[in-house]
Amino acid sequence: MILIETRVEKNRKNKKIKRDNKILGVSINVLTILVVFFSVYIWFYLYRSQGFSELMKWLQTFYLMDIGLFIMIAFTGKVTINVVKNLIKLAFSVWIVIFILSSTLKQGEQIGYTIFITFLVGYMEVLTDLYISIKEGVQSINNDKFKIIEKETMIRLTMQITIIIVSLLHMFLAYFLLNPLKDIIR
């Protein structure tokens, strides 16, 4: 016996998928906010007794600025992301060379500024590269075989998924950099 899906059944199924995708979108947005702030908390928690409170304040401010700037850039489109990514690479390359060669700051201050700028530029570059890769991967998915989530929903959530992945990496780096950062600063 062959069962044919009626138009009413198809509409119910499509409405359920759209409702589920809206719930997924809200859930991912909430998860993104929680993961970002938890990653910042991990840094403060690990470094609180190490005497790095001022450094952590600045690093986490730069991290949150990167996330905010990335969100603004991601809403403008792929062309803008590529332009910004290339400008960041160019500015960083030129700036860091000029800064190091012409700096009259003490070596400790040079290291501090270099860490800040590297942190700022490195995260933005990772965010933009990862975003482009994930978005291109999602766009290449055959939606006929992947019916659980609509392709448009996956594309819309690419920015949030990128931020979650980078925030998880941010947490990992907090643990990985604890001892090397103590050695560099002191």
Side-chain angles (χ1 to χ4, degrees):
M1 180 166 100
I2 300 176
L3 295 174
I4 299 175
E5 188 175 38
T6 66
R7 180 176 289 171
V8 173
E9 290 170 339
K10 194 179 266 188
N11 283 339
R12 279 188 198 145
K13 185 176 164 184
N14 286 338
K15 284 181 183 178
K16 183 183 180 320
I17 289 173
K18 287 185 187 293
R19 186 188 73 229
D20 291 347
N21 285 319
K22 284 181 183 178
I23 292 170
L24 176 67
V26 169
S27 301
I28 293 290
N29 286 332
V30 169
L31 179 65
T32 302
I33 292 168
L34 291 174
V35 170
V36 166
F37 285 110
F38 187 68
S39 69
V40 170
Y41 170 77
I42 291 292
W43 277 83
F44 280 112
Y45 179 77
L46 287 176
Y47 293 89
R48 74 185 183 288
S49 63
Q50 308 298 326
F52 295 130
S53 60
E54 191 66 26
L55 177 64
M56 286 307 108
K57 183 175 78 174
W58 283 105
L59 287 177
Q60 300 317 308
T61 300
F62 281 143
Y63 174 70
L64 293 174
M65 284 173 35
D66 269 346
I67 296 291
L69 183 60
F70 169 71
I71 290 170
M72 290 188 298
I73 292 168
F75 279 123
T76 61
K78 183 179 177 180
V79 172
T80 305
I81 285 180
N82 283 328
V83 169
V84 168
K85 183 177 75 167
N86 289 324
L87 287 174
I88 288 172
K89 284 181 183 178
L90 176 66
F92 179 69
S93 300
V94 170
W95 184 88
I96 201 73
V97 168
I98 290 172
F99 177 76
I100 290 173
L101 292 176
S102 66
S103 180
T104 59
L105 299 173
K106 298 177 196 168
Q107 186 178 4
E109 291 174 344
Q110 273 187 339
I111 291 171
Y113 283 115
T114 305
I115 288 171
F116 285 135
I117 298 302
T118 303
F119 197 84
L120 184 68
V121 172
Y123 272 100
M124 185 56 70
E125 189 172 348
V126 168
L127 282 163
T128 55
D129 285 345
L130 189 60
Y131 176 77
I132 290 168
S133 298
I134 291 172
K135 194 162 194 166
E136 287 173 354
V138 166
Q139 288 172 339
S140 69
I141 291 175
N142 184 350
N143 205 29
D144 295 335
K145 296 180 181 179
F146 195 75
K147 288 282 189 182
I148 299 170
I149 303 171
E150 291 178 326
K151 192 174 195 174
E152 294 79 28
T153 301
M154 290 189 300
I155 291 170
R156 223 178 23 254
L157 295 175
T158 302
M159 178 183 62
Q160 291 88 333
I161 293 167
T162 302
I163 293 171
I164 289 171
I165 291 170
V166 169
S167 293
L168 292 173
L169 290 171
H170 188 61
M171 281 187 256
F172 173 74
L173 284 173
Y175 289 104
F176 180 72
L177 293 176
L178 186 58
N179 289 330
L181 194 57
K182 279 194 268 185
D183 293 340
I184 288 173
I185 300 298
R186 294 194 178 161

